[in-house]
Amino acid sequence: MTAMIRVDNLCKGFTLHNQGGVSYQVLNQVSFSVARGECVVLDGPSGSGKSTLLRSLYANYKPESGRVWIRHNDSEIDLVSALPRDVIDVRKHTIGYVSQFLRVIPRVSTLDVVMEPARRLGVSREDSLARAQDLLTRLNIPERLWSLAPSTFSGGEQQRVNIARGFVVDYPVLLLDEPTASLDAGNRDVVVDLIRGARNRGSAIVGIFHDADVRNRVADRAIALSARKTHVAAEETQA
């Protein structure tokens, strides 16, 4: 199977400059791959490096060493060494990212927030609007809120808008950081269906799910991150 993501010997640490320059290693020589149509979850206790690894896959964090290969436009690109313009292009066309928090420009309507990734790809306003409306309906965002800025919404509503934005484009790679954390059972089921749909279309998915039921329903495999004194080791397990 074609690997959409290949992580080779990834190492990432942090230096706490406001605490006397103390340094600590979070990820040490982490390696794994994710194929088309596969959902892999990052598993491990708090502090084991799950969020650090996910942000490294999106190039929000720059590792000290190692490689993050992403299949982009029928070739592989290493996000660790890629130029900023190439990272932007990969994010635009290849990688969708659903974080735990919605960060958008104030006063922009919910519909425009959700449509924006599709519009950046040149999708017509009509088609982008239809896709956004469908996702907001499925995620139980009332139509009366669609013209309002999501910054005024509850935490659960903002997360559902964030999910709709992440799924409005059929990205080849999806990174999901606790997408169901603040959702009720009904909306969790909707998100599970969206993840399964993306997987069936061939997306390679890497996610963090603290909800064991959701994790078991979407995962093909788990990457176990084990907290150690000086490093984190990754090993693959069957989910």
Side-chain angles (χ1 to χ4, degrees):
M1 298 176 69
T2 302
M4 295 298 295
I5 304 169
R6 285 197 302 114
V7 178
D8 295 331
N9 297 315
L10 200 68
C11 297
K12 174 62 181 174
F14 295 94
T15 299
L16 306 179
H17 296 287
N18 62 347
Q19 296 186 31
V22 173
S23 296
Y24 66 100
Q25 196 72 16
V26 179
L27 303 174
N28 185 29
Q29 295 184 335
V30 174
S31 298
F32 64 94
S33 63
V34 185
R36 295 183 189 273
E38 188 176 31
C39 181
V40 170
V41 300
L42 304 181
D43 194 18
S46 178
S48 62
K50 297 185 298 294
S51 293
T52 296
L53 178 52
L54 203 68
R55 290 167 186 165
S56 297
L57 297 181
Y58 197 59
N60 274 350
Y61 287 163
K62 187 175 178 63
E64 285 84 29
S65 61
R67 296 288 181 262
V68 175
W69 296 99
I70 300 294
R71 182 156 292 279
H72 172 64
N73 293 337
D74 295 322
S75 63
E76 284 190 318
I77 183 170
D78 171 30
L79 293 185
V80 176
S81 60
L83 295 173
R85 66 172 180 269
D86 294 325
V87 172
I88 291 171
D89 193 61
V90 170
R91 289 176 174 178
K92 179 179 177 180
H93 293 93
T94 300
I95 301 181
Y97 183 77
V98 178
S99 68
Q100 295 185 49
F101 307 102
L102 180 67
R103 297 181 177 88
V104 294
I105 300 173
R107 295 182 295 279
V108 175
S109 76
T110 293
L111 273 175
D112 285 329
V113 166
V114 175
M115 291 165 55
E116 192 265 342
R119 295 292 288 141
R120 282 193 292 123
L121 287 176
V123 178
S124 71
R125 180 172 180 81
E126 181 180 31
D127 289 345
S128 300
L129 180 63
R131 177 67 168 160
Q133 291 172 333
D134 175 66
L135 284 165
L136 290 171
T137 299
R138 291 180 65 182
L139 287 160
N140 299 301
I141 300 294
E143 188 172 351
R144 60 183 170 79
L145 299 181
W146 295 357
S147 63
L148 304 179
S151 57
T152 64
F153 295 178
S154 70
E157 288 169 335
Q158 287 190 18
Q159 183 63 352
R160 280 177 276 154
V161 172
N162 205 21
I163 292 164
R165 176 183 170 87
F167 281 86
V168 75
V169 172
D170 293 336
Y171 291 105
V173 173
L174 271 174
L175 307 177
L176 308 175
D177 189 359
E178 284 288 353
T180 62
S182 57
L183 304 186
D184 58 44
N187 284 307
R188 284 199 300 271
D189 288 343
V190 174
V191 176
V192 167
D193 287 342
L194 289 172
I195 294 170
R196 286 173 168 173
R199 185 181 61 187
N200 291 340
R201 290 191 299 271
S203 295
I205 303 170
V206 179
I208 301 171
F209 302 94
H210 287 158
D211 187 311
D213 176 63
V214 171
R215 183 169 63 241
N216 292 335
R217 291 164 66 188
V218 302
D220 297 300
R221 286 187 295 122
I223 303 297
L225 300 178
S226 304
R228 307 282 177 86
K229 289 183 178 180
T230 59
H231 71 278
V232 172
E235 58 184 21
E236 298 188 17
T237 61
Q238 293 297 320

